[in-house]
Amino acid sequence: MRALFLLLIAGYVSGAAAALALGTGALSRWASALGAIVGASAGLALAAGACIRGAAFSLDAPGFFGPVGGMAFTLDPLGAVFLALTSLVAAPSALYGAGYARLWEGRPALRQVGFMLNVFLLTMSLVPLAGGTLTFLLVWEGMSLSSYFLVMTESDQPEVVSAGQWYLAMTQIGLACLLGSFLLLQSGGPGGFSALRAAALTLPPGTRDAVFALALIGFGSKAGLIPLHVWLPRAHPAAPSHVSALMSGAMIKMGIYGLLRVSLDLLGGGPAWWGGLVLALGAVSALLGVLYALMEHDLKSLLAYHSVENIGLITMGVGAGLLFGSLQMPAAATLALVAALYHTVNHAVFKGLLFLGAGAVLHATGMRDMNRLGGLIRGMPWTAALFLVGSAAISGLPPLNGFVSEWLLFQSLLPGIGAPSPLVAVLMVLSLGMLALTAGLCAACFVKAFGITFLAIPRSPEAAAAHEASWSMRAGMVVLAVACLVLSIGAFEIVPRLSSFVAPLVGVAGSAPSLSVGLALQTPGGFARMSPVLVAAGLALVVLTAWLAVKAFASRRPVRVGETWGCGRVVQTPRMEYTATAFAEPLRRIFAAVYRPSEDVSIDFHPDSRYFVQSISYHSAIVPWFERYLYAPVISRVRSWSERVLALQSGSAHAYLTYLVLALVLLLGWLVVTGQP
Amino acid sequence: MSPWLLGPVQAAMALLLAPGLVGAIRWMKARLQNRSGAPPWQPYLELRKLFAKEVVVSNNASWLFRAAPFIVFGSTVAVTLLVPLLAVPLPFDGAGDLLVVVYLLLLGTFFLALAGLDPGSPFGGMGASREMTVAALAEPTMALAIFALAWSAGSTNLGHIAARMLATPSEALAPGHVLAFAAIFIVTLAETGRLPVDNPATHLELTMIHEAMVLEYSGRYLALIEWAAALKLLVFFTLLGNLFAPWGIAAALTPGALLWAALTLALKLLALGGVVALVETHIAKLRLFRVPELLSASFILALLAVTASFLLR
Amino acid sequence: MSPELVSQLSVGGSTLVLLAGLAMLWRRGVRAHIGAFTAQSVALAATTAMVGWFTGDWQLWAVAALLLLIKGVGIPILLARMARRFGTERELEPYVNTATSLLVGGLLVLLAYLVTAPLVSVSQLPTRTGMPLAMGLVFVSLFVIISRKKALTQVLGFLMLENAVALLAVLGTHGIPIIVEIGVFLDVALGFIVMQVFVYQIHETFESIDVEQLNRLRE
């Protein structure tokens, strides 16, 4: 195990070094990608060892950062799940990136991306491995900073710079909250996570609540919970596509990991309001995420908002698990947490696939705006088919993996209706309704995303000239698509294993609820049963039978190709097709109270007569209301304070010297007063 | 008869009955509107005609357009394997429950909407957009109604729900069940494209939802899609009939019991079809932006069903 | 009549009463509103009669008969007369649109469930199961009063509130003495006459019964 750990570090480090040393050509691209793939495979093997063979791993490195306490690494099953999903997305993304990076051939950006990508992957893989506070915070900050640099790759564009600013600000605010949280946690006694776990039992309830609240804010901002998600729709489109895939697929999951680690593992669960708050935040994030995703017509922003939605779904599972744990319903808590963890893995895989597909589209056409794309299925058949697999998976359609984890999530909310407290029952009922609505709207959104981007006629000459992605990009996507199917069919093996990891955390005495019988998944107490394998097999069989029967019995006349029906009009142009904005318009009207769109219609009349119209222009914008009512006032307040503080920076050396002397005098005075040597 | 044979037999029976159900509803509507109407077996003749006809495909369409009818048809037939049509316990009861049924139907809707977008016609886009809106808004009602049923039955698996209702007939008229029935009835009208949500007989493109999506289909593809739509209607009616009033369902797999089950199923289908025909004759189609009001009302009914179900604990 | 059956029937009756109230949020048009109110009063009378049969209390039968006469027949006739006079104007958009009103109504029912949970757990009567729905109707009728613009609809909201309180009394305590009940009816009848005069005056002043027009009185 230690060898695998060292190989993990070695792989990423060598990839980073290769990127720096080997110039800006194909060799550098491939060498850095290879290093990343080696590191990711080592990570996957390490995680598999911990999960499947139950091998424990821990490593202390007091030499690094010795004066401050040294670094410590341990891997337990919970961390192994997150390490596995990171590696699972990292390897295909690195492979994809080798081909994608041709975009920067000959430019220094190639070196920067190759180096930073490996640093990012290294620090991100080390987060689940961290065994102590210092280690955790160091690799966490390393992950945030390296991803910031990756986001800023194309810093010649102003919106990229703005996205980077938002991202940096949100990560630093999160870090501040995390620092506060860990400091409070350590007030019970310093040490690694195992010492903290023991000491947390002695903390007063007020401190525990404060630790939880700060951790929720800090990890929630990384995960992208509303209202701390504002960086997501800005940073993800700005970053290169394989980086977006990694950020959306793996990095935001680290927020979930942190939340689980602090609230469930270190603090050992808490009062019911913790779980209720997390569940409510998750439900709201899920619904608002998908509502705003529906209105996006930039392909990557749409996917970013869907990440907010899916993080909301995962958080709902986590919240339900915390809630049931505090209500002494361990079997239900296990099911909820298993659903959340499984959805984490599934989302990593299909969101990675979707971002890689969007990257291929961007690479081929240079555009992300769906209203200018279309007809790509002819020029990019592989990408289209793989994007379709990703769309079906994220919409929760059987027989893919998204459906299995959504089924588990539904089933996990059901026991809550029978909880002793009526408030919990009402919360569960509302969450169920919001979950179902989110699932339906997600399917609608992906019909739009796939249909408008890939189907029908190209809406611009760039879209018409699209070419298929290179083989490495395709290979990366194929790996993830296959993983989607494997995760679904293999559910009956994976879910019991997840259950055995989670059960000790929620205090299940004895053996964990198995959650699986034969080829089927089963909820505790035998409430419901479902087999993804049989559903997939049945579906395939029926479709095949239908196809054969139709081939045998229906008419043998050849298929004739003709014009699309247009009520007698002869020529079909791209302007007659539906656009993404038009597709989402009914939903925009229905949910207008949430969106509050601003609409502006201006009509240019003919100069000679007001009865003839020359042009009509329609402009509509949706500003998310938390940005208008929460962030804008806060930002303007901070700006006005900083302007006042600016008065201190008078530029006069005399003033600065006065400040120094004043500070020295105050410090000495304080020491005298408190009587310290 | 072996229980494993029951699945294909059920599916075959559903396939046979579905066009007849649609034809019966059309016939009843015609009679209510003082027309003589086409005979109830007209849809069979239509299907036979369509299978023999030539297929014309748009020059903008891709492989998805040709594959979608099979996926839609396949997913709907797969649902008939999971629904208690003739007997409980079902052989595939452990493979899928009511949630699987709902999501398999959503799979069909997803691909049908994509097939509507594929030829690039504005009608297809309009139909796809409206269909996904209605489907998304009907989801919460369906989920809550499922849970209202499942909570009182103790499982979301269909065989269990039907068996539990058979065992305690007094629960059939419980307020929770009646409310859930009303909620699922409204969802049926929405999902199968019946008035007041969508007019199955309209020829005005601006009033179409389902018809607009399949406007470009012809020949055997259209036959598969029409058959799948009829099958979807049959599935929803079966859920309404055999989950809320399962008497007549065979408990043993003897020929006599199965025949009786088939007969009672046909009666229930005709009864529900009659109700739908009455509703369609009585109400005019709702504007698209009044449909969310109808679906909110059905959501409230489902919400009351859930609270009523666990009020009587 | 077994307690379980009474329980089920109370829930059934209260559900019908609540649904008639929610129909007031769903349907537009004064005639539909009056129809909803009539149906609600009939359902309320039926529930009262059922409780009367269960307890064997003749006073409840009398209350049911009074309810049917006054609220099921008498007041709707008066309302129909008012509607013929004032209700022929165009539909007014309520302050909150229909779909949102229905969702708010649902949330209010859930709130009522939370609020009455302690009451339900303490009570021993088999009719206690319908109480959350009656409380829900109280909230829903208050919502109708504040979110609708036509004065006539607000009057109907007030009458519905009275129905809700009566249902709560019947389910929670198996009715109140008939003297008190008659007194309440008298109050309602008086209040209704006052409101009728009020609506007439509004119509005379503004040529419409849109309550927003009352803002103009400031000028």
Side-chain angles (χ1 to χ4, degrees):
Chain A
M1 294 284 277
R2 182 173 298 203
L4 285 171
F5 179 69
L6 292 172
L7 186 61
L8 173 94
I9 299 188
Y12 287 128
V13 168
S14 61
L20 279 181
L22 293 175
T24 59
L27 186 61
S28 164
R29 267 192 291 136
W30 279 102
S32 60
L34 200 61
I37 294 176
V38 164
S41 317
L44 194 57
L46 189 62
C51 290
I52 300 179
R53 290 193 338 255
F57 167 74
S58 84
L59 177 68
D60 274 335
F64 288 94
F65 297 93
V68 219
M71 298 182 85
F73 298 104
T74 72
L75 188 64
D76 64 347
L78 181 64
V81 172
F82 285 89
L83 179 60
L85 75 88
T86 307
S87 309
L88 199 53
V89 186
S93 301
L95 182 57
Y96 177 96
Y100 188 81
R102 204 177 293 160
L103 209 58
W104 306 293
E105 187 109 348
R107 287 160 50 191
L110 190 82
R111 267 200 296 259
Q112 179 182 332
V113 171
F115 175 71
M116 277 301 161
L117 186 68
N118 279 289
V119 170
F120 177 49
L121 284 172
L122 177 63
T123 47
M124 192 159 59
S125 306
L126 287 179
V127 169
L129 281 164
T133 318
L134 179 68
T135 319
F136 187 87
L137 287 172
L138 276 173
V139 291
W140 183 268
E141 186 62 4
M143 180 176 79
S144 306
L145 285 178
S146 49
S147 54
Y148 167 72
F149 284 113
L150 283 169
V151 166
M152 294 284 276
T153 309
E154 314 241 338
S155 51
D156 45 333
Q157 296 169 26
E159 63 260 16
V160 170
V161 174
S162 155
Q165 281 175 336
W166 276 93
Y167 182 49
L168 196 62
M170 294 304 292
T171 52
Q172 297 313 306
I173 293 175
L175 183 71
C177 293
L178 285 186
L179 269 172
S181 174
F182 277 116
L183 274 172
L184 280 175
L185 195 55
Q186 288 206 305
S187 62
F193 279 167
S194 40
L196 282 179
R197 204 171 291 137
L201 296 168
T202 63
L203 285 174
T207 318
R208 286 168 66 96
D209 285 344
V211 169
F212 174 75
L214 285 171
L216 184 60
I217 298 177
F219 289 123
S221 73
K222 175 63 74 180
L225 280 178
I226 286 188
L228 302 163
H229 69 290
V230 280
W231 60 271
L232 253 171
R234 291 179 162 85
H236 279 86
S241 308
H242 54 300
V243 173
S244 308
L246 281 168
M247 283 170 72
S248 203
M251 191 185 74
I252 56 182
K253 310 304 191 298
M254 293 305 155
I256 302 289
Y257 167 72
L259 191 63
L260 278 173
R261 179 64 74 190
V262 170
S263 60
L264 205 56
D265 187 27
L266 293 180
L267 288 174
W273 70 265
W274 287 11
L277 179 64
V278 174
L279 177 62
L281 274 177
V284 170
S285 294
L287 193 56
L288 282 179
V290 77
L291 281 176
Y292 281 110
L294 271 166
M295 292 300 121
E296 286 289 334
H297 50 77
D298 175 329
L299 197 53
K300 286 174 96 174
S301 300
L302 181 139
L303 292 175
Y305 270 116
H306 272 290
S307 292
V308 173
E309 172 219 338
N310 278 287
I311 286 290
L313 291 179
I314 296 170
T315 316
M316 278 172 82
V318 169
L322 283 172
L323 188 59
F324 291 143
S326 65
L327 291 175
Q328 314 302 326
M329 297 164 72
T334 313
L335 181 60
L337 286 168
V338 165
L341 277 181
Y342 196 41
H343 198 69
T344 314
V345 179
N346 289 337
H347 178 244
V349 172
F350 55 65
K351 188 44 72 65
L353 173 60
L354 285 169
F355 264 111
L356 293 184
V361 169
L362 181 58
H363 191 87
T365 61
M367 295 186 297
R368 300 192 309 247
D369 186 356
M370 281 191 274
N371 286 329
R372 318 250 335 269
L373 292 170
L376 295 177
I377 196 169
R378 263 171 286 279
M380 309 172 71
W382 281 81
T383 310
L386 292 164
F387 198 90
L388 182 61
V389 170
S391 308
I394 196 173
S395 308
L397 298 178
L400 293 170
N401 53 357
F403 167 65
V404 181
S405 48
E406 282 199 20
W407 186 88
L408 281 171
L409 203 56
F410 266 114
Q411 294 290 354
S412 67
L413 290 178
L414 190 52
I417 301 186
S421 151
L423 191 57
V424 170
V426 165
L427 193 60
M428 287 297 158
V429 170
L430 286 175
S431 311
L432 266 172
M434 288 167 94
L435 178 60
L437 185 59
T438 306
L441 288 174
C442 182
C445 194
F446 272 94
V447 168
K448 176 181 99 160
F450 181 75
I452 304 285
T453 311
F454 287 97
L455 298 178
I457 318 172
R459 294 179 181 81
S460 65
E462 293 92 339
H467 57 273
E468 182 59 89
S470 66
W471 76 264
S472 75
M473 290 163 75
R474 267 181 282 165
M477 291 196 277
V478 166
V479 169
L480 286 173
V482 168
C484 280
L485 200 57
V486 166
L487 280 170
S488 157
I489 296 187
F492 65 95
E493 267 298 321
I494 300 176
V495 169
R497 232 170 267 281
L498 286 174
S499 170
S500 63
F501 302 155
V502 164
L505 291 172
V506 275
V508 170
S511 66
S514 130
L515 293 188
S516 149
V517 57
L519 287 175
L521 296 175
Q522 187 183 50
T523 55
F527 193 82
R529 195 187 286 203
M530 189 266 296
S531 170
V533 185
L534 289 179
V535 169
L539 201 54
L541 196 65
V542 172
V543 172
L544 194 63
T545 315
W547 187 70
L548 286 172
V550 168
K551 228 173 148 55
F553 296 117
S555 151
R556 303 297 174 91
R557 288 154 82 176
V559 170
R560 186 156 61 94
V561 173
E563 281 275 343
T564 310
W565 169 245
C567 273
R569 120 180 92 62
V570 177
V571 165
Q572 173 95 7
T573 69
R575 291 205 48 199
M576 296 166 192
E577 296 178 90
Y578 242 54
T579 61
T581 324
F583 191 93
E585 204 256 349
L587 284 162
R588 197 177 83 139
R589 281 238 230 157
I590 292 170
F591 289 105
V594 175
Y595 294 126
R596 301 187 181 279
S598 67
E599 289 181 339
D600 186 45
V601 179
S602 70
I603 305 179
D604 278 340
F605 293 102
H606 195 273
D608 289 342
S609 161
R610 262 191 74 92
Y611 293 108
F612 293 101
V613 169
Q614 268 191 326
S615 75
I616 303 177
S617 80
Y618 170 82
H619 183 81
S620 165
I622 295 180
V623 175
W625 54 265
F626 23 78
E627 286 190 29
R628 195 185 295 163
Y629 296 117
L630 182 60
Y631 283 92
V634 167
I635 292 176
S636 67
R637 193 74 54 81
V638 168
R639 206 169 268 166
S640 65
W641 281 344
S642 17
E643 268 163 28
R644 265 179 250 162
V645 172
L646 200 61
L648 279 178
Q649 277 193 311
S650 57
S652 145
H654 216 81
Y656 297 154
L657 285 170
T658 317
Y659 296 152
L660 277 171
V661 170
L662 214 60
L664 192 62
V665 166
L666 281 172
L667 206 58
L668 287 171
W670 185 73
L671 281 176
V672 163
V673 163
T674 58
Q676 291 194 357
Chain B
M1 193 204 305
S2 143
W4 296 105
L5 210 54
L6 182 61
V9 164
Q10 261 190 194
M13 196 191 76
L15 278 172
L16 271 173
L17 281 180
L21 176 63
V22 172
I25 296 181
R26 273 191 223 161
W27 184 84
M28 285 191 265
K29 258 176 80 171
R31 290 284 152 155
L32 282 168
Q33 293 168 1
N34 261 331
R35 298 181 277 126
S36 49
W41 52 85
Q42 180 72 13
Y44 294 106
L45 302 173
E46 281 176 19
L47 282 177
R48 194 178 68 175
K49 173 186 78 170
L50 283 172
F51 272 117
K53 277 195 137 191
E54 181 192 32
V55 172
V56 180
V57 163
S58 159
N59 53 1
N60 299 322
S62 64
W63 59 263
L64 191 74
F65 189 77
R66 299 203 208 178
F70 293 103
I71 301 180
V72 172
F73 187 72
S75 63
T76 321
V77 171
V79 168
T80 58
L81 291 171
L82 295 171
V83 169
L85 277 162
L86 286 177
V88 276
L90 294 165
F92 297 112
D93 205 23
D97 61 347
L98 203 39
L99 277 171
V100 174
V101 167
V102 171
Y103 275 93
L104 277 173
L105 292 173
L106 186 64
L107 177 68
T109 311
F110 187 83
F111 275 94
L112 200 57
L114 283 178
L117 282 172
D118 202 15
S121 104
F123 302 123
M126 189 174 70
S129 148
R130 293 176 174 188
E131 174 76 20
M132 292 313 293
T133 306
V134 170
L137 292 176
E139 287 284 318
T141 309
M142 210 55 205
L144 281 187
I146 290 176
F147 282 120
L149 275 178
W151 184 253
S152 44
S155 169
T156 51
N157 286 86
L158 291 153
H160 283 223
I161 298 178
R164 169 63 184 260
M165 191 69 87
L166 272 175
T168 52
S170 63
E171 273 198 20
L173 286 180
H177 283 248
V178 175
L179 287 167
F181 183 88
I184 298 186
F185 188 76
I186 297 181
V187 169
T188 305
L189 293 178
E191 290 269 351
T192 55
R194 296 262 139 200
L195 286 161
V197 176
D198 179 18
N199 192 345
T202 184
H203 301 288
L204 296 171
E205 296 87 359
L206 290 177
T207 60
M208 294 178 186
I209 300 181
H210 186 261
E211 298 298 318
M213 281 194 297
V214 304
L215 203 60
E216 288 294 317
Y217 275 115
S218 52
R220 51 186 179 270
Y221 297 146
L222 184 60
L224 283 174
I225 291 186
E226 295 286 334
W227 210 345
L231 208 53
K232 194 169 172 181
L233 185 64
L234 184 122
V235 162
F236 270 106
F237 278 3
T238 311
L239 285 176
L240 282 171
N242 277 352
L243 287 184
F244 289 93
W247 303 287
I249 279 196
L253 292 176
T254 62
L258 287 174
L259 206 59
W260 178 241
L263 207 62
T264 47
L265 179 68
L267 278 171
K268 287 179 209 170
L269 291 176
L270 280 174
L272 283 165
V275 173
V276 169
L278 264 173
V279 165
E280 291 206 316
T281 317
H282 186 73
I283 308 183
K285 187 171 117 57
L286 282 175
R287 251 183 75 199
L288 180 69
F289 294 110
R290 298 285 297 267
V291 172
E293 295 172 15
L294 179 66
L295 291 172
S296 310
S298 73
F299 178 72
I300 299 299
L301 286 173
L303 190 69
L304 289 177
V306 170
T307 53
S309 284
F310 62 97
L311 261 182
L312 287 181
R313 261 178 296 166
Chain C
M1 213 188 222
S2 67
E4 292 84 34
L5 185 59
V6 170
S7 231
Q8 291 232 4
L9 286 175
S10 342
V11 174
S14 325
T15 312
L16 285 172
V17 171
L18 179 60
L19 279 178
L22 287 170
M24 193 87 78
L25 287 175
W26 182 22
R27 303 293 305 278
R28 312 178 197 182
V30 179
R31 198 157 306 157
H33 288 176
I34 298 177
F37 175 70
T38 317
Q40 187 182 67
S41 309
V42 170
L44 179 61
T47 314
T48 316
M50 185 270 299
V51 175
W53 185 8
F54 171 62
T55 54
D57 189 358
W58 69 269
Q59 296 191 346
L60 281 173
W61 282 100
V63 167
L66 269 174
L67 269 171
L68 199 58
L69 267 172
I70 300 186
K71 285 192 162 177
V73 174
I75 290 191
I77 292 182
L78 289 170
L79 283 170
R81 201 179 295 166
M82 277 172 78
R84 251 181 313 220
R85 226 165 162 192
F86 312 126
T88 51
E89 59 193 50
R90 58 179 174 82
E91 283 299 325
L92 293 170
E93 275 296 324
Y95 286 114
V96 185
N97 74 1
T98 312
T100 318
S101 312
L102 282 170
L103 287 174
V104 170
L107 286 174
L108 288 171
V109 170
L110 286 177
L111 176 69
Y113 178 63
L114 285 175
V115 163
T116 52
L119 285 171
V120 169
S121 57
V122 158
S123 163
Q124 298 291 336
L125 301 169
T127 51
R128 70 186 184 281
T129 45
M131 270 172 54
L133 297 167
M135 185 61 99
L137 184 61
V138 170
F139 292 141
V140 166
S141 23
L142 286 171
F143 182 64
V144 165
I145 295 177
I146 63 176
S147 72
R148 307 286 128 168
K149 281 188 187 170
K150 270 192 175 170
L152 206 51
T153 318
Q154 293 181 324
V155 170
L156 278 167
F158 169 76
L159 289 170
M160 256 181 21
L161 182 61
E162 217 281 316
N163 270 356
V165 172
L167 184 63
L168 209 53
V170 163
L171 292 176
T173 61
H174 283 182
I176 46 185
I178 191 153
I179 295 293
V180 181
E181 198 71 51
I182 292 181
V184 171
F185 274 129
L186 216 59
D187 266 335
V188 171
L190 211 62
F192 182 67
I193 293 173
V194 168
M195 276 189 268
Q196 205 171 1
V197 171
F198 192 45
V199 173
Y200 176 72
Q201 285 298 326
I202 294 179
H203 189 255
E204 285 290 300
T205 317
F206 298 110
E207 292 300 313
S208 106
I209 54 172
D210 180 358
V211 178
E212 274 217 295
Q213 302 283 340
L214 285 172
N215 290 349
R216 287 169 39 188
L217 286 172
R218 269 189 306 172
E219 301 151 27

